[in-house]
Amino acid sequence: MSNTSTTTTLTRNSSDTINVFRCLPFIGIHVACLAVAWTGASTTALVIGFLTLVIRMFGLTAGYHRYFCHKAFRTTRVFQFVLAWLGTTAAQKGPLWWAGHHRSHHRHSDTEEDVHPPGVKGFFWAHAGWIMSPKNQRTKVEWVPDLVKYPELVLLDRNHYVAPITLGVALYFLGEWMATAYPTLGTTGWQLVVVALFCSTTVLYHVTFAVNSIGHTLGTRRYSTDDESRNSLWLALVTGGEGWHNNHHRYPVSERQGFYWWEIDFTHYGVVFLSWLRIVWDVRGPSPAVLQEGTH
């Protein structure tokens, strides 16, 4: 990059750089969490913050990952957009961008061509550096031909900041209404913006990123895959089931990533509940051969 003052080289590959100026929104969300010292964090704000975290995580794990990336279940076009919108509120760009990079990751996992291989380009690069690199800002439309045929998804992908900004505005007015209607709760509009948007989003960033970094460095390997994917109970607990990463890399078309009953997978439980309501269907699981392979 021409402006060396705003660019940091992370590896010997000259294309693996971070442009600080272009990352200001991402960095700013982290810095904005410090405003909690000014707004405070009421119990109500913490509860709402937890709810925004869990709902948006489901938008990422069930929507962005298991549905858009792997087509592990089917749903209507309307609910497809609902999943896309929920995922986009997490401020991790649009569904086409997310799916394109993730499908590329599966094709080249833990090689030089992978977008976030910790064993090749280091832990920080795998965790967050790759997101902050100019070379990864483009939506890889060549990897998502099945998704670009939906104009509403393309529009959402191109305007991915609209969803988190809309969430922030809604949280502000909710907090202001609560301050008027229920003043004893001690909740204000800016408090909800800081706690339920900025803090919640920052936590969601790093539990998501941990699947790419920790999920390829720490844990156990049930399956002998061509990558370094690992299974981890504690990572599964904080990511809604995504921590069963070695399982996932062995059979990525399975919606259920905790292949066995004792492997907790909260996202799977949510998808099953939606299937009972007939909102989703054709939920795919691991094949009998893969399950048998995993017991040996």
Side-chain angles (χ1 to χ4, degrees), residues 62-98:
Y64 270 26
H65 189 200
R66 305 188 193 194
Y67 178 75
F68 287 111
C69 292
H70 298 293
K71 295 297 183 183
F73 58 89
R74 296 175 61 193
T75 189
T76 65
R77 187 166 176 175
V78 171
F79 194 68
Q80 171 182 272
F81 184 78
V82 170
L83 288 173
W85 180 269
L86 289 178
T88 309
T89 60
Q92 295 185 24
K93 294 189 178 288
L96 276 64
W97 180 90
W98 211 100

Side-chain angles (χ1 to χ4, degrees), residues 117-168:
V120 178
K121 299 182 180 180
F123 187 90
F124 176 77
W125 178 265
H127 190 74
W130 73 278
I131 296 170
M132 304 167 73
S133 173
K135 76 172 186 177
N136 292 319
Q137 301 306 305
R138 180 183 70 87
T139 296
K140 297 184 176 182
V141 293
E142 66 274 17
W143 286 93
V144 289
D146 55 319
L147 302 180
V148 296
K149 65 182 180 180
Y150 297 105
E152 67 273 19
L153 296 183
V154 174
L155 182 64
L156 184 61
D157 194 79
R158 289 176 178 171
N159 301 279
H160 53 86
Y161 286 113
V162 172
I165 289 174
T166 301
L167 175 62

Side-chain angles (χ1 to χ4, degrees), residues 248-261:
H248 173 60
H249 271 263
R250 174 60 184 86
Y251 203 72
V253 296
S254 172
E255 178 279 321
R256 181 176 182 177
Q257 295 187 9
F259 285 177
Y260 303 91
W261 67 265

Side-chain angles (χ1 to χ4, degrees), residues 196-266:
L197 180 65
F198 295 138
C199 294
S200 174
T201 298
T202 299
V203 171
L204 188 51
Y205 277 152
H206 293 286
V207 296
T208 304
F209 302 164
V211 178
N212 299 328
S213 54
I214 296 174
H216 281 259
T217 54
L218 298 175
T220 60
R221 287 174 53 78
R222 170 179 288 121
Y223 297 102
S224 180
T225 56
D226 293 331
D227 51 58
E228 295 300 321
S229 57
R230 310 278 170 154
N231 284 340
S232 170
L233 170 61
W234 73 264
L235 187 58
L237 292 175
V238 299
T239 59
E242 301 288 296
W244 306 114
H245 205 51
N246 179 242
N247 291 356
H248 173 60
H249 271 263
R250 174 60 184 86
Y251 203 72
V253 296
S254 172
E255 178 279 321
R256 181 176 182 177
Q257 295 187 9
F259 285 177
Y260 303 91
W261 67 265
W262 61 87
E263 295 179 331
I264 299 171
D265 186 345
F266 292 119

